[in-house]
Amino acid sequence: METLQRQVNGFNSKDIMDTVGAIQANPEIAKFKFRARNKWISGGHNRSTIQDFYGGCTEDETRKHPFVFDNSEPPILLGNNEGANPVEFILHGLAGCMTTTMMLHAAANGIAVDHVESFLEGDLDVQGFLGLDDTIRNGYQKIRVNFKIEGDLTEEEKQKLISFAYKSPVFDIVTNKVPVSLQLQD
């Protein structure tokens, strides 16, 4: 008998079940290594490329071309606006990961959603980054996230969707210390 393939929030419920089942059978499948490369161009302008990664027990070769992201600063922070600045990319990554996580978990729980938007705002005092006041953190002091969720949903279901956002890997990264090692490459 053929298993019914149902689409919820753009995800195929059978694919979700198959992926979870495969990971339960072999937890090594769940281990990923994501990579980014970056080159300085001039001033505050640099460029990152993202293409290859390891996951599902193999090197991924599905991306034929790299994703390219220019990083820069606005003029008030001595840049020329060649791209968003890196702390803005953190907001982008956080929004994207929380939204994807929310929608994937919603689909796995059979909760159909019509529309999701988020607005993020982070507070950052550059005195820390510039070394002018070592009592001020170099990064964000606080990030606020507001979600607008629409669909035939109860208030309880909307709150459940918000709880799914807390499972986001990027949420975990920005709310917990992650060991980062720096070294010179030959």
Side-chain angles (χ1 to χ4, degrees), residues 107-176:
N109 285 270
I111 302 171
V113 179
D114 293 337
H115 183 83
V116 174
E117 285 183 49
S118 58
F119 175 76
L120 289 79
E121 184 175 58
D123 300 330
L124 193 143
D125 185 334
V126 298
Q127 292 179 87
F129 154 72
L130 293 174
L132 300 174
D133 186 339
D134 58 7
T135 66
I136 296 175
R137 182 179 176 160
N138 294 340
Y140 283 123
Q141 284 85 35
K142 183 172 181 121
I143 297 173
R144 289 171 299 287
V145 181
N146 290 292
F147 280 102
K148 179 180 179 181
I149 302 171
E150 296 175 354
D152 186 18
L153 303 163
T154 66
E155 190 58 35
E156 183 180 326
E157 286 172 320
K158 287 181 181 181
Q159 289 304 315
K160 189 168 189 172
L161 292 172
I162 295 297
S163 76
F164 294 149
Y166 287 101
K167 295 180 181 293
S168 153
V170 177
F171 180 87
D172 179 78
I173 290 165
V174 300
T175 59
N176 295 293

Side-chain angles (χ1 to χ4, degrees), residues 29 31-35 37 50-67:
I29 293 172
K31 296 180 181 176
F32 282 73
K33 291 182 192 230
F34 292 102
R35 303 178 184 110
R37 291 166 178 78
I50 298 173
Q51 184 171 6
D52 58 315
F53 67 90
Y54 175 88
C57 297
T58 189
E59 285 293 325
D60 181 81
E61 296 178 2
T62 61
R63 296 174 175 170
K64 301 304 175 200
H65 304 284
F67 299 108

